Amino acid sequence: MSKNVRKPFVAGNWKMNGSMSLVADFNEKLASVSAQADIVICSPATLLHGFNNSTFSIGAQNVSHLDNGAHTGELSVEMLKEAGCEYAIVGHSERREDQGESNTLVAQKAKKCVSEGITPIICVGESLDVREAGNVESFVAAQLDAVVEALSVEELSKTVVAYEPIWAIGTGKTASPQQAQEVHEFIRGYFEKVDADLAQGIRILYGGSVKPDNAETLFAQKDVDGGLIGGASLKAEDFISICQAAD
Ligand code: PGA
């Protein structure tokens, strides 16, 4: 299977940003967009109910690994599904850092999503210190190990992976297309050792300061199947041109 068989994928991560007027703007401006990519907007949970556009799917930025119950402040997969989510980001570096989410917890969240029918977008990626120490591959491999231990090959095939180097997130410092491709190739090679079909089918997104003017070169890399977009997903025009760059 070549890259052509993997459908491009672009997800916007609004983080703790946005409003109902931004939702309305996206509903309107994305309505007429024709893009080949699967397009997803992961907005704050409070805005999910406002989307009414069939051009794109909606997703959450986090999800609990637990069933409904006494877990104040958490949202279950069941709830997110009822709110229309088909996807959930798990293990974003901001949550790994701010909420202390471990590799094991991220894997449990991914498992819960797959077993209840939503697609997890599993984020991995290293800090600048790790990169400078030459440990990118072992760091990313440890993040993936936890996921591979928890999910079967069939379950893994229902996930999307996002490689997001922390030093490139929100900094304007994008990984060069070569730097991105190197790690994406490593990740695909990692899955190759688990299962060859899985490796060829799984979509690996790049995230970290993707903008309209760098998206096309990044997405053109052999193992880059699309992007997870933060800042540039908050402006409909920019997001649309990034989605079109994935074609
Ligand atoms: P950024 O964020 O595009 O603003 O760098 C990406 C992300 O954190 O998903």
Side-chain angles (χ1 to χ4, degrees), residues 7-11 25-41 51-58 86-87 236 239-240 243-244 247:
K7 193 171 182 204
F9 191 109
V10 180
D25 195 46
F26 269 65
N27 283 338
E28 187 194 323
K29 294 192 174 137
L30 268 74
S32 54
V33 168
S34 73
Q36 280 160 31
D38 283 332
I39 302 174
V40 185
I41 300 283
F51 291 102
N52 62 13
N53 187 317
S54 57
T55 317
F56 58 88
S57 306
I58 55 175
E86 292 174 55
Y87 296 87
F239 187 64
I240 290 168
C243 292
Q244 287 168 340
D247 290 355

Side-chain angles (χ1 to χ4, degrees), residues 11-13 15 89 92-94 123 164-165 168-172 206-211 228-233:
N13 173 12
K15 308 191 179 184
I89 296 172
H92 191 282
S93 58
E94 287 154 13
C123 300
E164 298 205 304
I169 295 178
T171 57
Y206 168 78
S209 298
V210 179
K211 305 275 180 271
L228 180 55
I229 322 299
S233 74

Side-chain angles (χ1 to χ4, degrees), residues 152-217:
S152 67
V153 170
E154 202 200 322
E155 288 172 330
L156 290 166
S157 73
K158 296 178 183 152
T159 69
V160 171
V161 171
Y163 168 60
E164 298 205 304
I166 297 168
W167 48 271
I169 295 178
T171 57
K173 231 187 184 187
T174 320
S176 70
Q178 293 71 22
Q179 282 173 321
Q181 168 56 25
E182 257 171 44
V183 184
H184 280 237
E185 192 175 341
F186 168 75
I187 294 172
R188 203 172 301 287
Y190 174 98
F191 284 118
E192 182 83 37
K193 291 187 210 130
V194 179
D195 183 88
D197 289 343
L198 168 69
Q200 288 311 308
I202 197 163
R203 289 180 290 182
I204 308 173
L205 317 179
Y206 168 78
S209 298
V210 179
K211 305 275 180 271
D213 61 1
N214 61 23
E216 204 171 319
T217 353

Side-chain angles (χ1 to χ4, degrees), residues 36-176:
Q36 280 160 31
D38 283 332
I39 302 174
V40 185
I41 300 283
C42 299
S43 76
T46 51
L47 302 179
L48 289 169
H49 67 95
F51 291 102
N52 62 13
N53 187 317
S54 57
T55 317
F56 58 88
S57 306
I58 55 175
Q61 299 173 11
N62 175 44
V63 60
S64 173
H65 61 300
L66 301 168
D67 289 328
N68 289 353
H71 308 292
T72 304
E74 294 293 303
L75 295 173
S76 66
V77 174
E78 188 183 326
M79 292 168 180
L80 293 174
K81 270 170 54 178
E82 195 176 29
C85 290
E86 292 174 55
Y87 296 87
I89 296 172
V90 301
H92 191 282
S93 58
E94 287 154 13
R95 292 197 60 84
R96 289 179 187 265
E97 198 170 315
D98 299 350
Q99 275 75 34
E101 292 192 0
S102 66
N103 291 346
T104 309
L105 179 63
V106 172
Q108 286 171 331
K109 290 182 182 215
K111 173 107 180 164
K112 189 72 176 164
C113 287
V114 174
S115 63
E116 295 189 11
I118 70 173
T119 303
I121 301 171
I122 305 166
C123 300
V124 298
E126 81 289 353
S127 64
L128 192 57
D129 284 353
V130 169
R131 176 162 283 264
E132 285 176 350
N135 295 331
V136 175
E137 295 188 355
S138 58
F139 186 86
V140 170
Q143 291 181 318
L144 294 172
D145 284 346
V147 175
V148 166
E149 273 162 31
L151 278 72
S152 67
V153 170
E154 202 200 322
E155 288 172 330
L156 290 166
S157 73
K158 296 178 183 152
T159 69
V160 171
V161 171
Y163 168 60
E164 298 205 304
I166 297 168
W167 48 271
I169 295 178
T171 57
K173 231 187 184 187
T174 320
S176 70

